């Protein structure tokens, strides 16, 4: 079979580009320690409000015995509940989120609090906020017509 020289050249160029991209992705994943989540925690989104951790009465900010804090939140069209959370600065915070309905995301600008919230799973973020102030929490996954208005507030207070 005859393959034109130019065609052969382009074949090798696209092969080299493909291999280059895969090598770059592999290198950046290994060097920056990026890996898929390992401990997947499932939850029944339809029964979220009925009992357990994500029942309405159990949501909010709690101080743990070791001085760290746990924040439990629900994402639902179109808001994050509770709608205002207050956490102290320079303190380890574990934020646990579950979706009541569809896929949402949550993002507090200028912090590393940023995660997807998939229905059927618990999303967990472990962080320490280093600057006091008021932060909006935005939904960053399109979840319906009210997506643009889906937000709440977080206040990082002085210790
Ligand atoms: Cu929730 Cu967009």
């Amino acid at each position: 079979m005859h393959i034109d020289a130019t065609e052969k050249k382009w074949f090798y160029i696209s092969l080299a580009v493909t291999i280059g991209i895969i090598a770059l992705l592999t290198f950046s994943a290994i060097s920056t320690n990026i890996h898929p989540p390992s401990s997947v925690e499932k939850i029944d989104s339809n029964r979220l409000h009925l009992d357990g951790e994500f029942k309405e009465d159990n949501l909010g900010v709690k101080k743990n015995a070791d001085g760290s804090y746990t924040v439990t939140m629900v994402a639902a069209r179109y808001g994050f509940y509770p709608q205002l959370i207050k956490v102290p600065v320079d303190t380890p915070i574990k934020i646990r989120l579950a979706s009541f309905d569809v896929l949402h995301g949550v993002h507090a600008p200028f912090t590393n609090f940023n995660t997807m919230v998939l229905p059927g799973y618990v999303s967990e973020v472990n962080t320490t906020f280093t600057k006091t102030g008021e932060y909006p929490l935005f939904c960053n996954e399109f979840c319906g017509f009210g997506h643009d208005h889906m937000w709440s507030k977080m206040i990082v207070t002085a210790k």
Side-chain angles (χ1 to χ4, degrees):
M1 188 173 85
H2 170 75
I3 299 173
D4 189 82
T6 313
E7 207 171 323
K8 214 181 239 180
K9 191 178 91 187
W10 280 109
F11 169 77
Y12 286 118
I13 289 173
S14 37
L15 190 69
V17 168
T18 308
I19 292 170
I21 289 171
I22 292 171
L24 200 64
L25 285 174
T26 309
F27 172 75
S28 62
I30 293 170
S31 64
T32 58
N33 197 24
I34 296 172
H35 49 80
S38 49
S39 56
V40 175
E41 206 178 321
K42 291 191 176 177
I43 194 160
D44 184 356
S45 288
N46 292 323
R47 302 186 55 80
L48 221 56
H49 58 302
L50 299 178
D51 51 31
E53 189 184 353
F54 293 96
K55 190 178 152 186
E56 198 175 349
D57 302 342
N58 296 337
L59 299 179
V61 183
K62 283 174 212 92
K63 190 174 183 177
N64 303 316
D66 63 357
S68 69
Y69 281 74
T70 301
V71 181
T72 313
M73 296 180 85
V74 163
R77 283 188 289 190
Y78 293 101
F80 299 99
Y81 305 95
Q83 294 214 289
L84 172 66
I85 57 167
K86 277 187 193 172
V87 289
V89 73
D90 295 326
T91 307
I93 316 274
K94 181 196 291 265
I95 304 158
R96 288 171 59 77
L97 285 126
S99 167
F100 187 60
D101 38 44
V102 298
L103 171 68
H104 299 282
V106 61
H107 174 215
F110 309 111
T111 73
N112 63 354
F113 179 15
N114 187 356
T115 186
M116 281 172 115
V117 189
L118 282 93
Y121 296 90
V122 176
S123 299
E124 194 175 289
V125 175
N126 289 290
T127 188
T128 299
F129 298 109
T130 53
K131 276 188 191 141
T132 57
E134 250 184 60
Y135 297 85
L137 298 179
F138 292 116
C139 179
N140 58 8
E141 296 287 344
F142 183 75
C143 52
F145 290 119
H147 164 74
D148 289 346
H149 307 287
M150 180 163 174
W151 62 280
S152 68
K153 207 192 305 182
M154 175 175 76
I155 299 176
V156 180
T157 59
K159 272 195 168 176

